[in-house]
Amino acid sequence: MLHAYDEIYVAKAQTALAQMLRYAVEDMHYTLDEFWDMFLISGIADLFGKGDYRFIVGKSGVETAQEVVWRLTGEWPQTEPVFHLDKSATYWTGWILAWYQWYSGQSFRRISEFLTAEKVRDMYSPYHEMDPLHFAEEADRIRRQKERTTRLRMYRERLGISQSELARRSGVSVRMIQNYEQRQKDLRKAQTMTTWMLARALRCTVEDLMEY
């Protein structure tokens, strides 16, 4: 399997991402999924995953977290990082996600489609005591299970809303949503306005909903 960067940098990447999440969650008091979404939206997740050395070895995790906030808000965080002796579940979440992203070759955005950051943190026990390969096996199992569902349903469930609520937010009928989720109709052949309204309601792009 091809990797975006050499294995000798993986440990540093893991530490950087672990520190980033711990500073964001434990010091700046963002929720884990809230900051992870910011990380994805900022564009830094793509650079990190592609092996941009500014982020995997050039910056501390704290500096990366600060840049994420600055890119999205225009303000540089002034919160001083707290020194921690222990490696918390949040720290481990960043550590294992950096490793899994490198190991699997998937982008962070792709991983987030089947594993939220908070879901990963929930896996802290027992996986933090195991070889990372055990985590990879479980993550791959979850991915395969998710792939049995349409991307429309996946994004809807990620927001935790029902088909009726999606219909209310998007203006697309419940029956139509059911047809697309059950693959009775092909969303790729839907009217442009329909896909646009669904994507807007689900806070994603039209391309995110397409199945290829």
Side-chain angles (χ1 to χ4, degrees), residues 45-63:
D46 290 332
L47 296 173
F48 195 109
K50 291 175 181 176
D52 189 314
Y53 294 107
R54 290 174 298 170
F55 296 103
I56 63 173
V57 297
K59 295 177 181 287
S60 70
V62 170
E63 290 171 327

Side-chain angles (χ1 to χ4, degrees), residues 92 95-96 123-135:
W92 176 83
W95 184 88
I96 197 65
M123 297 167 68
Y124 173 75
S125 181
Y127 288 98
H128 77 286
E129 297 179 338
M130 299 181 181
D131 186 294
L133 287 172
H134 291 291
F135 174 86

Side-chain angles (χ1 to χ4, degrees), residues 1-210:
M1 180 183 296
L2 293 177
H3 302 291
Y5 53 93
D6 195 281
E7 187 174 5
I8 63 173
Y9 298 109
V10 174
K12 290 184 179 295
Q14 288 179 272
T15 299
L17 207 66
Q19 290 177 341
M20 180 194 79
L21 289 185
R22 180 158 63 183
Y23 173 68
V25 174
E26 299 178 11
D27 298 338
M28 290 197 291
H29 305 297
Y30 286 98
T31 67
L32 184 54
D33 276 348
E34 176 185 18
F35 188 80
W36 189 254
D37 284 344
M38 292 172 65
F39 177 57
L40 297 175
I41 294 168
S42 71
I44 293 176
D46 290 332
L47 296 173
F48 195 109
K50 291 175 181 176
D52 189 314
Y53 294 107
R54 290 174 298 170
F55 296 103
I56 63 173
V57 297
K59 295 177 181 287
S60 70
V62 170
E63 290 171 327
T64 298
Q66 290 172 329
E67 184 163 339
V68 168
V69 174
W70 175 76
R71 287 191 178 200
L72 295 186
T73 69
E75 298 181 2
W76 194 265
Q78 300 301 314
T79 304
E80 290 293 324
V82 176
F83 178 73
H84 301 272
L85 288 173
D86 64 318
K87 295 181 179 179
S88 65
T90 298
Y91 182 97
W92 176 83
T93 299
W95 184 88
I96 197 65
L97 277 169
W99 179 85
Y100 180 63
Q101 187 276 324
W102 174 84
Y103 171 79
S104 68
Q106 303 173 86
S107 69
F108 286 116
R109 183 175 292 277
R110 175 70 184 94
I111 292 169
S112 73
E113 291 180 355
F114 59 89
L115 266 184
T116 66
E118 289 185 359
K119 171 62 177 176
V120 174
R121 185 170 59 186
D122 289 343
M123 297 167 68
Y124 173 75
S125 181
Y127 288 98
H128 77 286
E129 297 179 338
M130 299 181 181
D131 186 294
L133 287 172
H134 291 291
F135 174 86
E137 290 173 359
E138 177 62 10
D140 289 345
R141 185 194 67 78
I142 294 170
R143 174 182 55 79
R144 289 191 298 269
Q145 185 178 44
K146 287 284 187 179
E147 285 176 348
R148 296 191 188 109
T149 67
T150 63
R151 296 173 70 83
L152 175 62
R153 179 176 176 181
M154 179 185 69
Y155 273 91
R156 177 177 63 77
E157 291 181 343
R158 186 178 178 187
L159 282 183
I161 62 176
S162 66
Q163 292 176 337
S164 297
E165 177 61 16
L166 176 56
R168 187 189 68 80
R169 295 185 186 188
S170 67
V172 179
S173 71
V174 172
R175 184 56 184 162
M176 189 68 73
I177 291 170
Q178 291 173 339
N179 286 337
Y180 291 135
E181 289 195 356
Q182 295 168 9
R183 293 194 172 95
Q184 293 179 13
K185 289 184 178 293
D186 190 344
L187 188 59
R188 293 173 300 178
K189 298 178 180 178
Q191 293 182 355
T192 301
M193 181 59 68
T194 297
T195 55
W196 179 82
M197 290 190 299
L198 287 169
R200 183 182 64 172
L202 293 170
R203 304 175 192 171
C204 64
T205 67
V206 170
E207 289 74 18
D208 288 333
L209 298 179
M210 296 296 104

